PDB file of all heavy atoms in Angstrom:
ATOM      1  N   VAL A  84      -1.331   7.986  -1.391  1.00  0.00           N
ATOM      2  CA  VAL A  84      -1.577   7.206  -0.109  1.00  0.00           C
ATOM      3  C   VAL A  84      -0.748   7.915   0.955  1.00  0.00           C
ATOM      4  O   VAL A  84       0.367   8.346   0.722  1.00  0.00           O
ATOM      5  CB  VAL A  84      -1.133   5.746  -0.310  1.00  0.00           C
ATOM      6  CG1 VAL A  84      -1.051   5.051   1.062  1.00  0.00           C
ATOM      7  CG2 VAL A  84      -2.123   5.025  -1.212  1.00  0.00           C
ATOM      8  N   GLU A  85      -1.329   8.037   2.043  1.00  0.00           N
ATOM      9  CA  GLU A  85      -0.574   8.645   3.246  1.00  0.00           C
ATOM     10  C   GLU A  85      -0.635   7.575   4.367  1.00  0.00           C
ATOM     11  O   GLU A  85      -1.740   7.171   4.767  1.00  0.00           O
ATOM     12  CB  GLU A  85      -1.185   9.868   3.706  1.00  0.00           C
ATOM     13  CG  GLU A  85      -0.364  10.464   4.880  1.00  0.00           C
ATOM     14  CD  GLU A  85      -0.725  11.900   5.262  1.00  0.00           C
ATOM     15  OE1 GLU A  85      -1.283  12.618   4.510  1.00  0.00           O
ATOM     16  OE2 GLU A  85      -0.240  12.332   6.357  1.00  0.00           O
ATOM     17  N   ILE A  86       0.562   7.301   4.839  1.00  0.00           N
ATOM     18  CA  ILE A  86       0.634   6.346   6.007  1.00  0.00           C
ATOM     19  C   ILE A  86       0.999   7.168   7.225  1.00  0.00           C
ATOM     20  O   ILE A  86       1.981   7.890   7.208  1.00  0.00           O
ATOM     21  CB  ILE A  86       1.833   5.271   5.741  1.00  0.00           C
ATOM     22  CG1 ILE A  86       1.592   4.546   4.435  1.00  0.00           C
ATOM     23  CG2 ILE A  86       1.975   4.379   6.944  1.00  0.00           C
ATOM     24  CD1 ILE A  86       0.389   3.716   4.291  1.00  0.00           C
ATOM     25  N   GLY A  87       0.126   7.048   8.229  1.00  0.00           N
ATOM     26  CA  GLY A  87       0.311   7.915   9.423  1.00  0.00           C
ATOM     27  C   GLY A  87       1.362   7.450  10.325  1.00  0.00           C
ATOM     28  O   GLY A  87       1.999   6.373  10.128  1.00  0.00           O
ATOM     29  N   ARG A  88       1.763   8.254  11.297  1.00  0.00           N
ATOM     30  CA  ARG A  88       2.835   8.037  12.204  1.00  0.00           C
ATOM     31  C   ARG A  88       2.558   6.778  12.938  1.00  0.00           C
ATOM     32  O   ARG A  88       1.473   6.400  13.279  1.00  0.00           O
ATOM     33  CB  ARG A  88       2.862   9.166  13.251  1.00  0.00           C
ATOM     34  CG  ARG A  88       3.343  10.524  12.665  1.00  0.00           C
ATOM     35  CD  ARG A  88       3.141  11.693  13.610  1.00  0.00           C
ATOM     36  NE  ARG A  88       3.925  11.525  14.790  1.00  0.00           N
ATOM     37  CZ  ARG A  88       5.177  12.130  15.040  1.00  0.00           C
ATOM     38  NH1 ARG A  88       5.692  12.764  14.080  1.00  0.00           N
ATOM     39  NH2 ARG A  88       5.808  11.879  16.147  1.00  0.00           N
ATOM     40  N   HIS A  89       3.654   6.035  13.215  1.00  0.00           N
ATOM     41  CA  HIS A  89       3.634   4.723  14.045  1.00  0.00           C
ATOM     42  C   HIS A  89       2.874   3.670  13.325  1.00  0.00           C
ATOM     43  O   HIS A  89       2.516   2.684  14.064  1.00  0.00           O
ATOM     44  CB  HIS A  89       3.183   5.058  15.382  1.00  0.00           C
ATOM     45  CG  HIS A  89       3.970   6.009  16.152  1.00  0.00           C
ATOM     46  ND1 HIS A  89       5.168   5.667  16.802  1.00  0.00           N
ATOM     47  CD2 HIS A  89       3.860   7.326  16.421  1.00  0.00           C
ATOM     48  CE1 HIS A  89       5.724   6.638  17.367  1.00  0.00           C
ATOM     49  NE2 HIS A  89       4.936   7.740  17.243  1.00  0.00           N
ATOM     50  N   CYS A  90       2.555   3.743  12.079  1.00  0.00           N
ATOM     51  CA  CYS A  90       1.806   2.670  11.364  1.00  0.00           C
ATOM     52  C   CYS A  90       2.764   1.527  11.078  1.00  0.00           C
ATOM     53  O   CYS A  90       3.981   1.813  10.898  1.00  0.00           O
ATOM     54  CB  CYS A  90       1.171   3.103  10.094  1.00  0.00           C
ATOM     55  SG  CYS A  90      -0.242   4.083  10.293  1.00  0.00           S
ATOM     56  N   LYS A  91       2.208   0.377  10.945  1.00  0.00           N
ATOM     57  CA  LYS A  91       3.004  -0.832  10.530  1.00  0.00           C
ATOM     58  C   LYS A  91       2.203  -1.552   9.444  1.00  0.00           C
ATOM     59  O   LYS A  91       1.134  -2.021   9.705  1.00  0.00           O
ATOM     60  CB  LYS A  91       3.312  -1.809  11.707  1.00  0.00           C
ATOM     61  CG  LYS A  91       4.261  -1.172  12.726  1.00  0.00           C
ATOM     62  CD  LYS A  91       4.319  -2.221  13.890  1.00  0.00           C
ATOM     63  CE  LYS A  91       5.681  -2.306  14.447  1.00  0.00           C
ATOM     64  NZ  LYS A  91       6.731  -2.855  13.876  1.00  0.00           N
ATOM     65  N   ILE A  92       2.745  -1.582   8.220  1.00  0.00           N
ATOM     66  CA  ILE A  92       2.159  -2.073   7.097  1.00  0.00           C
ATOM     67  C   ILE A  92       2.991  -3.210   6.528  1.00  0.00           C
ATOM     68  O   ILE A  92       4.227  -2.988   6.294  1.00  0.00           O
ATOM     69  CB  ILE A  92       1.890  -1.006   5.930  1.00  0.00           C
ATOM     70  CG1 ILE A  92       1.299   0.247   6.545  1.00  0.00           C
ATOM     71  CG2 ILE A  92       1.126  -1.634   4.799  1.00  0.00           C
ATOM     72  CD1 ILE A  92      -0.082   0.152   7.001  1.00  0.00           C
ATOM     73  N   ARG A  93       2.454  -4.389   6.206  1.00  0.00           N
ATOM     74  CA  ARG A  93       3.190  -5.478   5.798  1.00  0.00           C
ATOM     75  C   ARG A  93       2.308  -6.334   4.750  1.00  0.00           C
ATOM     76  O   ARG A  93       1.191  -6.529   4.993  1.00  0.00           O
ATOM     77  CB  ARG A  93       3.628  -6.425   6.860  1.00  0.00           C
ATOM     78  CG  ARG A  93       4.504  -7.644   6.429  1.00  0.00           C
ATOM     79  CD  ARG A  93       4.989  -8.365   7.545  1.00  0.00           C
ATOM     80  NE  ARG A  93       3.865  -9.041   8.271  1.00  0.00           N
ATOM     81  CZ  ARG A  93       3.991  -9.734   9.370  1.00  0.00           C
ATOM     82  NH1 ARG A  93       5.278  -9.893   9.949  1.00  0.00           N
ATOM     83  NH2 ARG A  93       3.017 -10.308   9.993  1.00  0.00           N
ATOM     84  N   ARG A  94       2.912  -6.630   3.605  1.00  0.00           N
ATOM     85  CA  ARG A  94       2.275  -7.455   2.580  1.00  0.00           C
ATOM     86  C   ARG A  94       0.850  -6.874   2.261  1.00  0.00           C
ATOM     87  O   ARG A  94      -0.168  -7.595   2.403  1.00  0.00           O
ATOM     88  CB  ARG A  94       2.155  -8.881   3.014  1.00  0.00           C
ATOM     89  CG  ARG A  94       3.530  -9.522   3.238  1.00  0.00           C
ATOM     90  CD  ARG A  94       3.522 -10.963   3.319  1.00  0.00           C
ATOM     91  NE  ARG A  94       3.096 -11.548   1.993  1.00  0.00           N
ATOM     92  CZ  ARG A  94       2.510 -12.622   1.800  1.00  0.00           C
ATOM     93  NH1 ARG A  94       2.152 -13.422   2.808  1.00  0.00           N
ATOM     94  NH2 ARG A  94       2.130 -13.006   0.623  1.00  0.00           N
ATOM     95  N   ALA A  95       0.860  -5.612   1.748  1.00  0.00           N
ATOM     96  CA  ALA A  95      -0.411  -4.983   1.449  1.00  0.00           C
ATOM     97  C   ALA A  95      -0.316  -4.304   0.113  1.00  0.00           C
ATOM     98  O   ALA A  95       0.760  -3.905  -0.413  1.00  0.00           O
ATOM     99  CB  ALA A  95      -0.811  -4.013   2.536  1.00  0.00           C
TER     100      ALA A  95
END
Side-chain angles (χ1 to χ4, degrees):
V84 167
E85 181 169 345
I86 305 297
R88 292 169 62 95
H89 299 282
C90 286
K91 292 177 141 290
I92 311 296
R93 180 174 69 183
R94 298 194 68 207

